[in-house]
């Protein structure tokens, strides 16, 4: 679930920063302008007056800004009525701006009568002064709308990113859920065959299976585990299979320079499982599996070669292979996977550059 509370707090932080910066900008502009409008005033008096009058203007501008934003975001009416409401709010703000300027700022802060160009007395409202007030307010409205629309776009991008991440997490969980039963089902079949033969090794295999199930329940639930743990799980799986397949020659080599390197669980084991299920288990004579895992400088090279019958007796649905390909696409988009299906052998070469791993998954 996406929680919006952090973004709401962020909204008010952004708006507070906006008003502080806007206030500083307006103080600077009005203080600069007051040098020409009131040349006889000391700079300290002009600065004090400017700080006060800009605070007064904020009492008009802030309600205007949030009234327009509220109408923009919350009120859902016909466009024509919404535009009329905008116009009414702006006109009301212009009158408030003029009242503050004409009746309070000039007579009480500056101690003079408001004039036009310093010559002619200005009335409370006329075209020139109304236009000035309108432009002052619209400049502020444009800025606050720009800030808010930008904030909302960034929020939308973050929400979309979270949704994509959640969707990928759910898809990966579904893929793992398809792999785990498939993996355990094959192993239980092996134990069933040994139990029918009353093999002495059956208790040891059950104990080994318990260890593998613990891995699948706890370790595989994590997004990533160390490659050392993943390799240990592969070795446990091989030990179980070696008991059943007496005529199997298996070679397993590893060269790992960073055992704590993290990898998504249940990816590597699937290729080993396929080597047994669709290679060794379908062969009647001598069989072999060669596995080589190499990790150097963040780049994993995974090689599996297994013997197979030229005409296997069963047809593989390749569901597990499709799942693994999909997981690799989601987690390691820059990976390379080479599959060679020759007459007497099956060769898989997987390369993963962990520098290109997606951090959100």
């Amino acid at each position: 679930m996406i929680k919006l509370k952090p973004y709401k707090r962020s909204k008010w932080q952004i708006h507070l920063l906006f008003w502080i910066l806007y206030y500083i900008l307006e103080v600077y502009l009005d203080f600069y302008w007051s040098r020409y409008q009131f040349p006889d005033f000391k700079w300290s008096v002009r600065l004090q007056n400017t700080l006060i009058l800009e605070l007064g203007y904020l009492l008009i501008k802030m309600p205007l800004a949030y009234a327009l934003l509220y109408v923009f975001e919350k009120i859902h009416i016909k466009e024509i009525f919404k535009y009329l409401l905008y116009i009414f709010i702006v006109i009301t703000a212009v009158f408030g701006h003029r009242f503050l300027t004409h009746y309070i700022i000039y007579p009480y802060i500056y101690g003079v009568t408001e004039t036009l160009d310093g010559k002619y007395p200005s009335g409370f409202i006329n075209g020139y002064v109304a236009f000035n007030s309108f432009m002052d307010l619209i400049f502020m409205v444009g800025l606050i709308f720009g800030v808010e629309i930008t904030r909302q776009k960034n929020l939308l991008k973050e929400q979309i990113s979270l949704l994509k991440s959640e969707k990928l997490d759910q898809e990966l969980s579904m893929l793992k859920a398809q792999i785990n039963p498939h993996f355990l089902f094959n192993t239980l079949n092996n134990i069933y065959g040994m139990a029918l033969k009353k093999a002495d090794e059956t208790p040891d295999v059950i104990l080994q299976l318990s260890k593998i199930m613990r891995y699948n329940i706890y370790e595989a639930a994590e997004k990533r585990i160390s490659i050392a743990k993943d390799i240990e799980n592969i070795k446990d799986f091989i030990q179980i299979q070696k008991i059943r397949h007496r005529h199997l020659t298996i070679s397993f080599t590893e060269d790992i320079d960073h055992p704590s390197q993290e990898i998504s669980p249940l990816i590597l084991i699937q290729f080993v499982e396929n080597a047994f299920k669709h290679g060794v288990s379908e062969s009647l004579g001598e069989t072999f599996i060669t596995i080589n895992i190499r990790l150097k400088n963040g780049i994993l090279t995974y090689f599996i070669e297994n013997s197979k019958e030229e005409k296997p007796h069963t047809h593989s649905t390749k569901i597990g292979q499709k799942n693994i390909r999909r997981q690799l696409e989601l987690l390691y988009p820059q990976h390379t996977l080479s599959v060679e299906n020759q007459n007497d052998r099956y060769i898989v070469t997987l390369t993963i550059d962990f520098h290109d791993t997606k951090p959100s998954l």
Side-chain angles (χ1 to χ4, degrees):
M1 296 295 293
I2 296 176
K3 299 179 180 180
L4 296 181
K5 288 185 178 180
Y7 299 109
K8 287 184 177 180
R9 289 195 295 269
S10 177
K11 172 182 178 179
W12 296 116
Q13 291 171 1
I14 291 172
H15 280 226
L16 177 62
L17 178 62
F18 165 79
W19 288 115
I20 292 173
L21 294 178
Y22 178 78
Y23 177 74
I24 293 173
L25 173 64
E26 288 294 293
V27 167
Y28 170 77
L29 293 176
D30 271 348
F31 179 69
Y32 183 83
W33 166 81
S34 68
R35 292 191 305 172
Y36 303 99
Q37 186 75 3
F38 306 104
D40 298 332
F41 284 34
K42 294 181 179 180
W43 72 269
S44 58
V45 174
R46 288 190 291 108
L47 178 60
Q48 175 182 316
N49 291 344
T50 302
L51 292 171
I52 295 172
L53 73 89
E54 287 303 331
L55 284 175
Y57 281 139
L58 285 183
L59 298 177
I60 304 296
K61 294 177 179 180
M62 292 180 71
L64 168 65
Y66 290 109
L68 293 177
L69 284 174
Y70 183 82
V71 173
F72 179 75
E73 295 176 346
K74 303 295 184 181
I75 298 181
H76 304 288
I77 56 178
K78 290 184 179 181
E79 291 298 318
I80 182 64
F81 295 115
K82 183 171 284 193
Y83 289 138
L84 290 174
L85 190 54
Y86 287 150
I87 293 171
F88 172 77
I89 293 172
V90 171
I91 291 175
T92 302
V94 169
F95 273 91
H97 190 278
R98 286 299 306 142
F99 180 87
L100 182 66
T101 302
H102 188 76
Y103 290 111
I104 298 177
I105 290 176
Y106 274 93
Y108 291 102
I109 295 180
Y110 289 114
V112 297
T113 301
E114 183 183 18
T115 60
L116 297 175
D117 297 329
K119 297 179 180 179
Y120 308 105
S122 170
F124 166 66
I125 195 78
N126 60 55
Y128 178 78
V129 295
F131 179 76
N132 285 342
S133 294
F134 174 78
M135 292 303 297
D136 185 30
L137 295 173
I138 289 300
F139 173 71
M140 177 277 303
V141 169
L143 290 178
I144 190 65
F145 265 73
V147 168
E148 179 60 16
I149 290 173
T150 301
R151 188 196 67 82
Q152 290 184 11
K153 285 184 177 180
N154 291 334
L155 171 61
L156 182 60
K157 287 180 181 179
E158 292 182 32
Q159 290 178 338
I160 291 174
S161 178
L162 284 173
L163 286 173
K164 286 181 178 179
S165 179
E166 286 188 352
K167 182 177 181 296
L168 292 181
D169 282 345
Q170 291 172 359
E171 185 174 353
L172 286 170
S173 297
M174 291 177 63
L175 291 172
K176 287 182 180 180
Q178 293 175 27
I179 290 174
N180 291 349
H182 183 56
F183 170 79
L184 294 175
F185 178 76
N186 289 339
T187 308
L188 287 172
N189 272 346
N190 294 342
I191 296 176
Y192 175 72
M194 294 177 66
L196 290 178
K197 297 177 182 179
K198 297 182 179 180
D200 294 336
E201 301 92 339
T202 304
D204 294 332
V205 176
I206 293 176
L207 186 62
Q208 200 79 26
L209 176 60
S210 175
K211 187 178 178 182
I212 293 175
M213 290 181 67
R214 189 180 300 111
Y215 173 89
N216 278 265
I217 293 172
Y218 296 108
E219 304 290 349
E222 301 294 329
K223 290 185 178 181
R224 292 191 179 91
I225 61 169
S226 70
I227 195 167
K229 289 184 178 180
D230 211 39
I231 291 176
E232 182 181 355
N233 184 58
I234 293 174
K235 290 178 179 178
D236 291 335
F237 176 80
I238 291 174
Q239 284 301 114
I240 291 179
Q241 297 290 2
K242 284 172 69 175
I243 295 173
R244 180 185 177 192
H245 300 283
R246 301 294 184 179
H247 302 289
L248 169 66
T249 300
I250 185 163
S251 171
F252 185 96
T253 59
E254 57 179 301
D255 182 11
I256 308 297
D257 67 350
H258 186 28
S260 60
Q261 170 65 57
E262 293 187 329
I263 187 172
S264 180
L266 299 177
I267 287 183
L268 302 183
I269 185 66
Q270 184 69 12
F271 294 107
V272 180
E273 183 191 7
N274 284 341
F276 278 97
K277 182 181 179 182
H278 305 302
V280 175
S281 297
E282 296 174 349
S283 300
L284 300 177
E286 295 292 331
T287 56
F288 72 87
I289 296 178
T290 300
I291 302 174
N292 179 266
I293 302 177
R294 184 175 185 270
L295 177 64
K296 290 293 181 182
N297 300 320
I299 298 178
L300 174 72
T301 305
Y302 187 43
F303 174 87
I304 298 182
E305 180 181 10
N306 64 274
S307 59
K308 73 179 185 68
E309 293 288 329
E310 294 189 15
K311 294 181 180 179
H313 300 290
T314 59
H315 177 69
S316 169
T317 59
K318 298 183 179 179
I319 293 176
Q321 210 179 107
K322 292 178 181 178
N323 289 342
I324 290 301
R325 286 183 180 274
R326 181 55 180 156
Q327 284 199 59
L328 288 170
E329 289 173 3
L330 294 174
L331 293 165
Y332 308 105
Q334 303 302 319
H335 77 278
T336 58
L337 177 62
S338 170
V339 178
E340 298 180 45
N341 189 2
Q342 300 179 5
N343 290 334
D344 62 343
R345 67 192 59 205
Y346 200 78
I347 303 172
V348 175
T349 304
L350 171 66
T351 302
I352 296 177
D353 186 349
F354 288 109
H355 300 102
D356 293 326
T357 304
K358 288 189 175 181
S360 59
L361 297 176

